[in-house]
Amino acid sequence: MLSGKRHRKAPIAMSGEAGRMDGCVFLAGHTVLAMTGVESDLTSFAGTWDSLPPDPYVEADTPYRFRRHGRLLIDGAGDVSVLPTGDYLQDPAHNPLFGGLSRRFAPVVWDDTGTRVLGALARTGVTRVLGLPGPVLINVHQIRILGGAGHAGTPVPEGRHRDGFDFISIHLIERDVDGGGVTTVVADADGSSTVMTLTEPLDSLFLDDRAYVHDTSPIEGDDRTVRRDVLLMSFERVDD
């Protein structure tokens, strides 16, 4: 039975097919497409970002963050199950802006295309990139950020942070900006940083959330509305 209890006995290195890179792995979009086999569904899946409702927890005169949330479970055999939508809770130590607040977002729409794409991305992350033994609980977040003249499009209103799980992944869906949207990853061990910009569909970043903090700069628009659509996943080992 899924208990939701954190399983912290032994850290798991990134030991899957992507190779171990000290807990920080970038995969180009074409590589992720080849690993997941979702290319034929990607355009339709990306279109679902057009129906994301505003994030009710971000206060702004002009809504700029839109979001849906869902949950998956991958068992020890690699089988994927869709779980009922639940509250999303982070520790205040990890998220200084929203930590301690049980947030309930609009649910992911689990149509055939979304189920195939999200299941394939989750399974690939667990079995081929992270090499995690199941069961693994995965939180899925569809997020759109809008920016433009007169208002900032801030992907991470809480600033540099960690999410409070074992691993996370960031997958670019679409990007139409004039600047910004640059992700910075900082290692706890020595303070070294890596800076990257996800530019192509399904460019993906996998992180050991226990060893790194991350942030993404505001997106910039020159007298026009710009957007950045991403899929975020968190991976958490749980007890059977």
Side-chain angles (χ1 to χ4, degrees):
M1 171 182 265
L2 177 65
S3 68
K5 180 181 178 182
R6 300 283 173 89
H7 191 92
R8 300 289 189 185
K9 292 182 180 179
I12 299 294
M14 290 185 178
S15 57
E17 294 178 19
R20 180 174 177 176
M21 295 177 64
D22 296 324
C24 178
V25 172
F26 168 79
L27 293 176
H30 62 83
T31 299
V32 177
L33 285 171
M35 294 173 75
T36 58
V38 300
E39 185 170 6
S40 62
D41 286 323
L42 190 57
T43 298
S44 176
F45 180 59
T48 64
W49 265 252
D50 292 337
S51 64
L52 299 185
D55 183 333
Y57 300 96
V58 175
E59 296 182 3
D61 293 336
T62 300
Y64 70 87
R65 185 168 180 159
F66 302 80
R67 187 169 190 162
R68 291 186 185 274
H69 170 243
R71 301 193 304 160
L72 297 169
L73 181 71
I74 296 186
D75 63 20
D79 294 327
V80 181
S81 301
V82 176
L83 299 179
T85 301
D87 290 347
Y88 184 64
L89 179 64
Q90 293 175 285
D91 192 295
H94 299 138
N95 188 325
L97 185 58
F98 299 114
L101 175 65
S102 291
R103 291 179 284 169
R104 177 66 67 98
F105 300 105
V108 167
V109 177
W110 295 103
D111 58 14
D112 290 345
T113 299
T115 300
R116 280 195 303 271
V117 175
L118 291 170
L121 286 168
R123 186 185 299 108
T124 297
V126 168
T127 64
R128 299 182 65 182
V129 180
L130 303 176
L132 292 174
V136 178
L137 175 64
I138 301 167
N139 282 281
V140 175
H141 305 267
Q142 294 177 280
I143 297 178
R144 166 170 286 181
I145 301 296
L146 296 181
H151 69 96
T154 306
V156 189
E158 61 269 39
R160 188 169 293 179
H161 70 292
R162 70 183 84 245
D163 289 352
F165 299 94
D166 292 331
F167 294 90
I168 65 167
S169 61
I170 305 170
H171 310 272
L172 183 72
I173 301 301
E174 288 187 351
R175 169 188 168 93
D176 179 19
V177 306
D178 296 324
V182 178
T183 298
T184 301
V185 177
V186 181
D188 292 343
D190 58 8
S192 61
S193 63
T194 299
V195 178
M196 67 185 69
T197 304
L198 307 181
T199 61
E200 299 300 323
L202 284 191
D203 276 358
S204 299
L205 175 65
F206 290 84
L207 287 178
D208 184 336
D209 193 46
R210 301 154 301 179
Y212 292 85
V213 293
H214 62 280
D215 192 6
T216 299
S217 66
I219 59 174
E220 303 164 3
D222 298 332
D223 299 321
R224 69 186 184 101
T225 299
V226 293
R227 63 182 171 87
R228 181 175 183 263
D229 296 345
V230 297
L231 174 70
L232 306 181
M233 292 186 172
S234 64
F235 302 85
E236 179 182 8
R237 298 169 62 207
V238 295
D239 294 330
D240 293 294

